[in-house]
Structures are given as C-alpha cells and as structure tokens.
C-alpha cells in the first residue's frame, strides 16, 4: 500500500504538470482534486490545502498561481514519500 500511494503521488504530480503545460485545465483540475483526496487520506493536511489551491487555480485557469502551488507540492513530495514509508 505504501509504495502505491507514493507512486500515485509522483504520477499525479507529473500528470498535472503535463496537463497544465498542454493548457488542459479541466483535466489538471480533476487530477488536483484526486490528489487532494489522497493527501487527506494520509493526513497530510498542509499539503491537502495546497492541493486545494492548485485545484482552484486550475479551475480558474490561473497558470502562474497553479505553477506556484504545483512547485510547492513537488518540493515537498520527497518528505511526504518518506512519511508514507513510515506508516
């Protein structure tokens, strides 16, 4: 289970980044929403809040804001994966 959650997190971040690059905002929003749920399940409340901001910025097609929120999630993904491995 741990491995699949960590792998899912990395895959989601990459998919969101690709959707944003292609300006597929609805797809990016959907994936951010899914990521938000995953983060809530593992109790990563601070990161869930950032995923919520990412979801909303994708919904509103605010590229700069979306990129900023995605960057924060990417910077913290290693810490989150480390925490998941301890569960």
């Amino acid at each position: 289970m741990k491995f699949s959650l960590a792998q899912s997190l990395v895959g989601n971040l990459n998919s969101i980044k690709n959707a944003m690059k292609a300006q597929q905002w609805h797809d990016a929003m959907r994936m951010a929403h899914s990521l938000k749920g995953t983060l809530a399940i593992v109790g990563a409340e601070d990161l869930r809040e950032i995923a919520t901001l990412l979801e909303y910025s994708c919904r509103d097609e605010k590229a700069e804001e979306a990129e900023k929120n995605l960057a924060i999630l990417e910077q913290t993904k290693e810490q989150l994966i480390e925490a998941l491995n301890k569960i």
Side-chain angles (χ1 to χ4, degrees), residues 2 5 42 82-87:
K2 292 182 250 182
L5 280 175
V42 299
E82 203 173 290
L84 289 173
N85 288 330
K86 292 178 183 178
I87 295 176

Side-chain angles (χ1 to χ4, degrees), residues 24-55:
Q24 296 172 336
W25 295 109
H26 182 75
D27 292 341
M29 179 191 71
R30 245 182 341 95
M31 288 182 273
H33 179 80
S34 176
L35 177 61
K36 177 178 72 174
T38 301
L39 294 169
I41 288 169
V42 299
E45 221 23 60
D46 291 344
L47 296 177
R48 185 202 57 79
E49 289 178 22
I50 296 167
T52 299
L53 295 174
L54 176 59
E55 177 186 6

